[in-house]
Amino acid sequence: MADSSFDIVSKVERQEVDNALNQTAKEISQRYDFKGVGASISWSGEKILLEANSEDRVKAVLDVFQSKLIKRGISLKSLDAGEPQLSGKEYKLFASIQEGISQENAKKVAKLIRDEGPKGVKAQVQGEELRVSSKSRDDLQTVISLLKGQDFDFDLQFVNYR
């Protein structure tokens, strides 16, 4: 019998992020506490630009955006928001969406699987993802539950289970 396997990835659906961004833009255009503060949110290349006339208002826009991401099922671990910076009379905050598992994070996960996972489970880094394989599907289920129980500082999804 061939080995069973699955891939560990860190992907974010761009359309869902776009929907959350549009919902945030609509909400801040309608909310009373954002009237007259120049609050806005938009794409700036691959990053997300949040603007307002005070540091507190920029953080409030970020808070609204984070709540929209959560409602759309996107983990906040994949959102990398910087600090508000004064630019002229406006405060700007750049946020980016993190995708892919870095080499060092993939090595951490692979080491955890080797150390705490069932015997006979192999984990190999393939670019920005990690392939986990074993002869036993039950062992793979054990590895998935082990990883779900860990608190990594990046988001994980399990795909291509076969």
Side-chain angles (χ1 to χ4, degrees):
M1 191 174 104
D3 282 2
S4 299
S5 68
F6 69 89
D7 294 334
I8 302 172
V9 297
S10 182
K11 287 193 168 42
V12 175
E13 201 166 321
R14 174 100 177 176
Q15 186 60 50
E16 291 296 332
V17 175
D18 204 36
N19 291 342
L21 186 134
N22 291 334
Q23 286 178 338
T24 303
K26 185 175 182 183
E27 184 170 323
I28 63 177
S29 71
Q30 294 174 342
R31 271 183 38 182
Y32 177 77
D33 57 336
F34 286 114
K35 293 278 188 246
V37 296
S40 69
I41 181 169
S42 62
W43 285 104
S44 174
E46 284 296 306
K47 293 187 182 245
I48 299 163
L49 172 65
L50 299 91
E51 295 177 301
N53 64 4
S54 75
E55 189 173 343
D56 292 341
R57 290 292 93 199
V58 171
K59 288 183 178 177
V61 172
L62 178 64
D63 192 45
V64 172
F65 183 55
Q66 287 174 334
S67 71
K68 299 298 180 191
L69 286 174
I70 290 170
K71 283 183 183 173
R72 297 214 148 263
I74 297 172
S75 172
L76 292 183
K77 291 178 181 177
S78 57
L79 179 71
D80 181 26
E83 286 297 313
Q85 293 156 346
L86 185 62
S87 172
K89 291 183 177 179
E90 293 267 306
Y91 277 87
K92 294 183 176 187
L93 188 147
F94 285 98
S96 60
I97 302 295
Q98 301 294 328
E99 286 196 303
I101 302 174
S102 71
Q103 289 291 326
E104 77 178 46
N105 287 338
K107 287 178 184 173
K108 277 186 208 170
V109 174
K111 183 174 178 356
L112 179 77
I113 292 170
R114 273 195 313 278
D115 293 348
E116 297 183 26
K119 299 287 178 239
V121 175
K122 295 186 281 298
Q124 58 199 94
V125 179
Q126 296 179 329
E128 292 191 335
E129 57 185 47
L130 195 68
R131 163 103 6 118
V132 180
S133 57
S134 171
K135 293 210 180 300
S136 165
R137 286 181 164 233
D138 292 341
D139 288 350
L140 293 180
Q141 292 290 341
T142 306
V143 168
I144 289 175
S145 61
L146 169 75
L147 293 176
K148 282 185 176 178
Q150 298 296 317
D151 185 31
F152 294 109
D153 56 348
F154 51 95
D155 193 30
L156 294 178
Q157 290 92 28
F158 307 101
V159 296
N160 297 337
Y161 185 81
R162 54 180 163 249

